[in-house]
C-alpha cells in the first residue's frame, strides 16, 4: 500500500477542516500560506542578492535558513539582505511570520476560551434545572403548609381548636 503524499494529507486536512472550528481552519491556512511565502521568499531572495557586494544570502539552503529565522523573528544577524529587493522580500517574510504567530496565538486562546465557555454554559444549565426543581419542591411544601393552616383556621372557627 502506498503512503499518501504530504500534499494529499495537507489537502485532506484543509478540506476536512470544515467540520472543525473557524480558528482551526484559519490556523491551517495561515501555516500553509506561511510555508508558501517562506519557500517563495527564499527562492526570490537568492537572485535579488546574488552578485551584490557584501551579500550573505547566496544559495537556496542559506535562503531557506534566512527565511525561517526571519519569519520567526529570531534574526541571528548571520544572514541579511543588502539589496532593496532583498529587503522588500524580508519585510514580506517578517509580516507573514508575525501574522502566523498572531493567528496561532488567537486560535489557541479561542480554543481555551471556547472550552471554558462550554463549561460555564453546562454549569448554568445544571444550576437552572436545580433551581427549577428547588422552586417546584418549595412550592409543594408551601401549598402543604397553606392547607394545614387553612385546616387549623377551620378548626378554630368551629371551636374545636386548642384552648388557651
Amino acid at each position: 500500500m502506498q503512503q499518501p503524499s504530504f500534499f494529499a494529507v495537507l489537502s485532506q486536512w484543509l478540506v476536512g477542516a470544515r467540520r472543525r472550528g473557524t480558528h482551526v481552519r484559519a490556523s491551517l491556512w495561515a501555516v500553509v500560506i506561511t510555508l508558501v511565502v517562506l519557500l517563495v521568499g527564499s527562492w526570490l531572495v537568492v537572485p535579488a542578492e546574488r552578485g551584490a557586494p557584501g551579500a550573505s544570502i547566496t544559495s537556496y539552503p542559506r535562503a531557506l535558513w534566512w527565511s525561517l529565522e526571519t519569519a520567526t523573528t529570531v534574526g541571528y544577524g548571520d544572514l541579511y539582505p543588502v539589496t532593496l529587493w532583498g529587503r522588500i522580500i524580508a519585510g514580506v517574510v517578517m509580516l507573514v511570520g508575525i501574522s502566523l504567530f498572531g493567528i496561532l496565538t488567537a486560535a489557541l486562546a479561542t480554543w481555551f476560551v471556547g472550552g471554558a465557555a462550554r463549561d460555564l454554559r453546562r454549569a448554568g444549565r445544571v444550576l437552572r434545572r436545580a433551581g427549577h426543581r428547588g422552586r417546584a419542591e418549595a412550592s409543594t411544601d408551601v401549598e402543604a403548609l397553606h392547607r394545614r393552616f387553612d385546616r387549623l383556621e377551620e378548626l378554630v372557627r368551629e371551636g374545636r381548636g386548642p384552648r388557651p
Side-chain angles (χ1 to χ4, degrees), residues 6-44:
F6 170 75
F7 294 110
V9 171
L10 182 63
S11 65
Q12 283 177 343
W13 262 87
L14 290 174
V15 170
R18 295 196 201 305
R19 292 186 300 275
R20 295 175 183 83
T22 305
H23 59 283
V24 173
R25 246 182 314 187
S27 297
L28 288 172
W29 279 108
V31 168
V32 168
I33 290 169
T34 301
L35 287 173
V36 168
V37 168
L38 290 179
L39 293 172
V40 170
S42 299
W43 178 67
L44 289 174

Side-chain angles (χ1 to χ4, degrees), residues 127-143:
L127 285 173
R128 275 192 297 282
R129 272 189 247 123
H132 292 310
R133 233 179 290 131
R135 275 194 295 274
E137 290 172 8
S139 178
T140 304
D141 292 344
V142 168
E143 286 177 23

Side-chain angles (χ1 to χ4, degrees), residues 22-24 103-118:
T22 305
H23 59 283
V24 173
I103 290 170
L104 292 178
T105 303
L108 255 171
T110 302
W111 182 64
F112 283 124
V113 169
R118 277 190 302 279

